[in-house]
Amino acid sequence: MNTQDGGHHDAAVDALAVREYERAGDRYTRGGRRVLADPREDLDPFAPDEKGWIGQGLQHLLAATVAYRVAGVDGRATQRAVEGIAATRDFQRVLDAPGQTACLGEFVADFRVAGGLDGAAEAYDDAAERYATAGDAIDSPQALATTPLFGAAAATIKQVARGQANGEIAIQWEDLHGSDPARAGDFLAHRARIKKQRFAGLVEKAVADGHLAAPRGTTEYGNETHRCPSCGSNDVNWAGTDVLCMRCSTPTEQI
């Protein structure tokens, strides 16, 4: 991670790997709060920031919400979603560069989905409308979409989806964005529209399966020194502080 999360993100991933989802939610929560307070050295979270580093703090809170849902701790999931929405709306007063407010609107909708709250569809529609309004002021939607804020807003849906796709990348850049970057508003609004279609179903499937995958880090197919003790795969994922199975997120064993 590029923000000061105090090691809580890696600890959360380690907890996911051993299926301790409530503990993962706790560590994601602690990491999120720390990043929101002090994202990076000498960076004031309440000052405008064209990169939007606080997005990674919101990402942690969103992942915490999903982890609590998977753990069956619905009350805490609700509390974390409400916390995330409140923080996001606060930062909408600060991150006001073209497109940033719309991206934060995506987060509001995502928190509603992850926490099982009402109003997610309307929140996604609002985010799409904000993108359309901001479109003429956005010079390069591709560059904007690669900033930390936008990357953070895409991370959790990718993480949830890969757990239902045998560990592969199930949601690509092309899935999240429109086909014509010359139409910046539409190009970015596609993010909100695809999430409106898919995120709730992905979260509900993760809850029903009782499984939230680790995020995808550096991966290798056919590693010769590690094998998964659970499924036997030797496709690996360097995430958290361990080497995990790319397929099922179980810590691997050396061979």
Side-chain angles (χ1 to χ4, degrees):
M1 301 301 291
N2 298 304
T3 47
Q4 302 176 141
D5 65 41
H8 293 298
H9 173 269
D10 283 352
V13 175
D14 292 347
L16 293 178
V18 294
R19 310 300 196 261
E20 294 183 7
Y21 296 116
E22 184 172 4
R23 179 163 66 90
D26 291 345
R27 296 307 290 261
Y28 272 131
T29 296
R30 293 170 66 184
R33 290 171 178 169
R34 183 158 179 161
V35 171
L36 293 181
D38 290 293
R40 289 161 65 87
E41 188 174 355
D42 299 325
L43 179 62
D44 181 352
F46 293 116
D49 169 23
E50 65 179 10
K51 300 295 187 183
W53 286 105
I54 58 91
Q56 292 185 357
L58 299 174
Q59 174 191 335
H60 295 338
L61 294 183
L62 183 59
T65 306
V66 179
Y68 287 136
R69 284 283 302 282
V70 172
V73 192
D74 291 350
R76 299 201 72 195
T78 298
Q79 290 168 343
R80 204 61 66 240
V82 171
E83 176 183 353
I85 290 169
T88 302
R89 292 204 182 282
D90 194 19
F91 286 114
Q92 280 183 317
R93 301 172 181 271
V94 177
L95 299 184
D96 56 0
Q100 286 186 326
T101 299
C103 186
L104 290 169
E106 277 186 47
F107 266 117
V108 170
D110 289 344
F111 277 115
R112 292 191 177 281
V113 169
L117 306 179
D118 293 337
E122 294 81 1
Y124 282 127
D125 289 344
D126 175 70
E129 289 173 9
R130 288 174 183 264
Y131 279 127
T133 300
D136 290 343
I138 297 172
D139 294 329
S140 174
Q142 302 103 312
L144 184 62
T146 63
T147 60
L149 176 65
F150 279 72
T156 302
I157 188 172
K158 291 181 178 180
Q159 179 179 351
V160 177
R162 72 178 298 270
Q164 299 162 35
N166 199 29
E168 297 288 357
I169 299 173
I171 295 182
Q172 306 273 356
W173 168 276
E174 294 80 8
D175 298 321
L176 283 173
H177 300 94
S179 59
D180 184 4
R183 301 174 60 192
D186 248 6
F187 180 83
L188 294 171
H190 193 72
R191 295 167 57 99
R193 295 180 184 127
I194 199 70
K195 285 182 175 183
K196 180 181 177 181
Q197 294 172 8
R198 297 191 60 184
F199 192 35
L202 291 168
V203 171
E204 293 304 324
K205 183 68 163 58
V207 172
D209 291 345
H211 175 60
L212 174 60
R216 186 168 172 129
T218 301
T219 59
E220 180 184 355
Y221 291 85
N223 183 277
E224 295 181 354
T225 60
H226 290 83
R227 187 173 299 278
C228 178
S230 179
C231 71
S233 173
N234 63 343
D235 300 331
V236 299
N237 177 31
W238 280 270
T241 64
D242 209 342
V243 182
L244 307 181
C245 175
M246 192 177 78
R247 302 303 174 189
C248 66
S249 296
T250 300
T252 60
E253 294 177 346
Q254 285 193 292
I255 54 176

